[in-house]
Amino acid sequence: EAGVTQFPSHSVIEKGQTVTLRCDPISGHDNLYWYRRVMGKEIKFLLHFVKESKQDESGMPNNRFLAERTGGTYSTLKVQPAELEDSGVYFCASSQDLGISWNEQFFGPGTRLTVL
Amino acid sequence: AQSVTQPDIHITVSEGASLELRCNYSYGATPYLFWYVQSPGQGLQLLLKYFSGDTLVQGIKGFEAEFKRSQSSFNLRKPSVHWSDAAEYFCAVGAILTGGGNKLTFGTGTQLKVEL
């Protein structure tokens, strides 16, 4: 079974440009999460999808970030326009919905974004 | 709001030596606690978790952790470290989101170096 995949693995862009990150969750996982780690800091929650619906986007830093999950499968996270402080590693995770309180989150390898 | 503190940014141990990585958390209720490991180029991998019950939990790769409520700690231990354990380790506390799903709050991570 394939794990969570993310594309690209690295992206280097200039300030003001647009970047789109993609996450493919494990097949059948309804829950999809985005997290971000700015260098030297903790990994922070950005948002949570259940299928195609955003359930919690309390961690999104500002309106330059747009996440979508069309059809409830893969998800994209667009940053437009990118700023220097957006540099970091963006992780995606997915989990099943087993009707229990905690469903293990499986993480992708992350996308390292560098904004110059 | 929950928070996690990992006071050690870097730790170096000799192969075969014992290891203890410290983690302190802040959470209002009985916490869900986790340790994850990230090796270069890999996603975050779950080492072990604590939900309730026995306060000493066993995980993969020979790791264990002990939940101490009085100290708000969940330290990770391994009796004998192998060179392949060199990686970054993250402690996390979990919360259940009101709309369903779960959210992880991470510490800043501890980078482990193993000397041969």
Side-chain angles (χ1 to χ4, degrees), chain A:
Chain A
E1 177 183 310
V4 177
T5 57
Q6 293 186 244
F7 182 83
S9 57
H10 294 85
S11 180
V12 181
I13 61 172
E14 294 192 351
K15 175 183 173 180
Q17 289 186 320
T18 297
V19 63
T20 300
L21 313 181
R22 173 170 169 144
C23 169
D24 286 80
I26 294 172
S27 177
H29 283 197
D30 287 342
N31 294 300
L32 188 147
Y33 304 84
W34 283 98
Y35 293 83
R36 176 175 77 167
R37 187 186 192 197
V38 172
M39 184 178 292
K41 300 272 181 91
E42 67 273 25
I43 301 169
K44 281 193 171 179
F45 169 87
L46 295 179
L47 85 158
H48 166 230
F49 283 98
V50 176
K51 296 184 181 178
E52 67 275 7
S53 300
K54 291 177 191 174
Q55 289 296 107
D56 185 325
E57 50 184 331
S58 60
M60 294 287 264
N62 52 61
N63 59 10
R64 295 185 293 102
F65 288 75
L66 175 63
E68 294 180 320
R69 191 182 183 194
T70 307
T73 55
Y74 71 92
S75 174
T76 57
L77 181 64
K78 180 189 287 188
V79 186
Q80 180 182 30
E83 298 289 344
L84 299 179
E85 63 264 26
D86 301 332
S87 295
V89 181
Y90 290 76
F91 292 100
C92 176
S94 71
S95 71
Q96 293 178 284
D97 185 355
L98 299 175
I100 57 177
S101 58
W102 192 274
N103 298 289
E104 182 179 344
Q105 295 184 23
F106 295 85
F107 284 80
T111 293
R112 181 175 296 277
L113 174 64
T114 302
V115 183
L116 302 175

Side-chain angles (χ1 to χ4, degrees), chain B residues 3 6 17 28 41 43 48-49 51 53-56 61-63 66 72 74-75 86 96 101 106 108 110:
Chain B
S3 66
Q6 293 182 249
L48 47 78
K49 59 183 181 285
F51 290 172
D54 192 346
T55 56
L56 183 64
K61 305 185 180 187
F63 285 92
E66 186 171 13
S72 297
F74 189 56
N75 294 347
I96 299 171
F106 289 88
T108 49
T110 297

